[in-house]
């Protein structure tokens, strides 16, 4: 090496710009949809949520938390909706705040809204309705309600009319989301919610056109995505799936048959992205999905405590990009760090997550009061600790 040569530090691909349909993203980091139960009892997003998302507006893309497209689809207390004028207005305040930036740190991230119909994941004490599902198969878990934990009820099996109404509700919710200022919506077909319940043999015992063989069980999800794309344009629609992930008591039964068929059918609609949740340690699916999916692939992998404690998931995110993902969504790091992108870029300390405030509580504590790093000194020295909650060993959520 000559005296004039320099060794330059490598630049992570996480911080490279990317395109998503007609959107230009400043980096490849996506804030994953995160249920925090901070909406009002009427499902209206308030100032707490506007502040929260604006704080995190340096993400390349924000996928806002699971939001119910209809009253009967509400899964949990104090989650937002997108089916009343008041809810639309509340979300408009949130998207306006995000466009304004992140407290002087820049940002103004693009936002998609995740549409989440609970299906059997719901309770009359929460929604005022008996939950609807593909079949009358009860969730084998207790559910949080306004009155505390309750046994899940047996859902009512959907009639053909109920199925068509649910599809229409997704489309109406998508139009409402665009009216509220979102760039698009994500159809939540993962984590044991209604579309996933149609996909899985354990929850879909139907014998009509939406049940039985794989080509019938994927029909509901495909119909939802096609109808939503028809309502707002395919470039505004993403889809989330979680192959083989048994959240909310889901039992797919034939995972290896479901997803090739589903992806092939979705590819004909050509939504703007596919968002895949991978179980911790699951590797081979990424290459398969990259080969099968010509559009944007967003990867989200469950992290071990050790992976999260080491660097907030940065190394895992970089590996996912190397294996074929276009964008990577992370959740826990964004929970506790309003400046998560900046911290990853600088390899700075991360705040500890205060898990007692994650869900089913109200107020700003453990939500909007996590500190940002102070500005870096002019000398270029490494940033100081974030204060009493700053730590390089953040707790797992």
């Amino acid at each position: 090496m000559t005296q004039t040569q320099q060794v330059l530090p490598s630049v992570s691909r996480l911080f490279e710009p990317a395109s998503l349909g007609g959107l230009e993203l400043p980096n490849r980091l996506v804030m994953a949809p995160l249920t925090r139960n901070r909406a009002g009892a009427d499902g209206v997003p308030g100032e707490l949520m506007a502040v929260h998302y604006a704080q995190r507006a340096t993400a390349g893309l924000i996928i806002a938390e699971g939001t119910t497209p209809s009253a009967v689809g509400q899964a949990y207390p104090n989650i937002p909706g997108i089916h009343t004028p008041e809810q639309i207005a509340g979300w408009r305040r949130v998207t306006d705040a995000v466009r304004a930036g992140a407290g002087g740190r820049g940002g103004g991230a693009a936002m998609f809204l995740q549409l989440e119909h609970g299906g059997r994941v719901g309770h009359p004490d929460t929604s005022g309705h008996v939950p609807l599902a593909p079949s009358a198969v009860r969730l084998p878990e207790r559910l949080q309600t306004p009155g505390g934990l309750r046994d899940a009820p047996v859902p009512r099996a959907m009639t053909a009319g109920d199925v068509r109404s649910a599809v229409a509700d997704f489309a109406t919710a998508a139009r409402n989301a665009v009216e509220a200022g979102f760039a698009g919506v994500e159809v939540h077909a993962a984590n044991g919610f209604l579309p996933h319940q149609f996909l899985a043999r354990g929850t879909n015992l139907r014998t009509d056109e939406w049940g039985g063989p794989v080509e019938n069980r994927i029909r509901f999800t495909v119909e939802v995505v096609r109808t939503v794309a028809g309502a707002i344009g395919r470039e505004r629609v993403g889809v989330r799936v979680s192959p083989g992930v048994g959240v909310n008591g889901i039992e797919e039964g034939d995972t290896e048959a479901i997803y090739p068929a589903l992806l092939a059918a979705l590819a004909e609609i050509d939504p703007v992205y596919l968002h895949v949740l991978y179980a911790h340690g699951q590797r081979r699916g990424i290459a398969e999905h990259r080969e099968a999916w010509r559009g944007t692939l967003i990867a989200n992998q469950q992290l071990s405590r050790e992976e999260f404690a080491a660097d907030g998931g940065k190394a895992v995110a970089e590996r996912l990009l190397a294996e074929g993902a276009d964008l990577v969504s992370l959740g826990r790091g964004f929970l506790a760090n309003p400046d998560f992108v900046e911290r990853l870029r600088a390899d700075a300390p991360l705040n500890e997550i205060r898990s007692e405030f994650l869900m089913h509580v109200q107020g700003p504590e453990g939500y909007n009061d996590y500190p940002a790093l102070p500005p870096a000194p002019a000398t270029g020295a490494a940033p100081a600790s974030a204060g009493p909650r700053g730590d390089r060993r953040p707790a797992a959520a």
Side-chain angles (χ1 to χ4, degrees), residues 361-373:
V361 295
Q362 291 285 290
E365 193 170 7
Y367 188 60
N368 291 343
D369 62 345
Y370 285 108
L373 288 170

Side-chain angles (χ1 to χ4, degrees), residues 121-190:
V121 184
H123 198 285
D125 289 358
T126 299
S127 68
H129 299 271
V130 174
L132 301 179
S135 303
V137 180
R138 189 178 69 83
L139 179 76
E141 301 169 8
R142 305 191 83 194
L143 282 168
Q144 188 71 38
T145 74
L149 285 172
R150 299 284 187 270
D151 289 337
V154 176
R156 179 168 67 80
M158 298 169 76
T159 65
D162 291 328
V163 174
R164 296 187 181 98
S165 291
V167 172
D169 287 340
F170 272 95
T172 299
R175 294 188 193 96
N176 292 344
V178 172
E179 181 182 343
F182 287 96
V185 300
E186 176 177 280
V187 174
H188 195 0

Side-chain angles (χ1 to χ4, degrees), residues 166-392:
V167 172
D169 287 340
F170 272 95
T172 299
R175 294 188 193 96
N176 292 344
V178 172
E179 181 182 343
F182 287 96
V185 300
E186 176 177 280
V187 174
H188 195 0
N191 292 6
F193 294 110
L194 184 63
H196 202 181
Q197 293 162 29
F198 272 94
L199 295 175
R201 288 198 303 202
T203 45
N204 186 346
L205 311 181
R206 303 176 73 95
T207 57
D208 61 4
E209 61 191 292
W210 293 284
V214 165
E215 58 265 28
N216 285 359
R217 281 184 280 127
I218 68 172
R219 191 184 307 277
F220 178 77
T221 300
V222 173
E223 287 177 340
V224 168
V225 175
R226 181 183 295 115
T227 304
V228 170
I232 63 172
R234 62 140 200 102
E235 72 282 358
R236 292 178 178 268
V237 183
V239 185
R240 192 181 206 205
V241 296
S242 54
V245 177
V247 179
N248 282 319
I250 207 74
E251 295 179 2
E252 291 177 342
D254 52 356
T255 302
E256 298 301 323
I258 293 170
Y259 290 94
L262 177 62
L263 266 57
L266 291 177
E268 295 181 5
I269 304 169
D270 196 22
V272 73
Y273 69 74
L274 177 71
H275 185 188
V276 186
L277 169 64
Y278 298 98
H280 176 249
Q282 183 179 353
R283 297 289 294 271
R284 59 185 274 260
I286 300 172
E288 293 175 359
H289 296 148
R290 177 71 285 169
E291 183 177 351
W293 191 256
R294 67 171 182 252
T296 297
L297 178 63
I298 303 177
N300 177 282
Q301 185 146 40
Q302 294 175 337
L303 302 176
S304 68
R305 286 180 176 270
E306 293 74 22
E307 288 168 336
F308 184 61
D311 59 7
K314 183 178 180 181
V316 171
E318 290 174 334
R319 173 178 60 76
L320 293 172
L321 289 179
E323 292 180 352
D326 298 294
L327 307 171
V328 177
S329 70
L330 294 170
R332 283 180 283 177
F334 278 106
L335 286 175
N337 299 278
D339 53 350
F340 185 51
V341 175
E342 297 95 312
R343 288 174 188 254
L344 288 189
R345 194 191 302 270
D347 293 320
L350 297 174
N351 294 319
E352 289 188 22
I353 292 175
R354 288 172 283 160
S355 57
E356 67 271 25
F357 298 109
L358 283 179
M359 295 175 65
H360 306 301
V361 295
Q362 291 285 290
E365 193 170 7
Y367 188 60
N368 291 343
D369 62 345
Y370 285 108
L373 288 170
T379 59
S385 169
R389 296 191 185 99
D391 194 344
R392 285 193 180 274

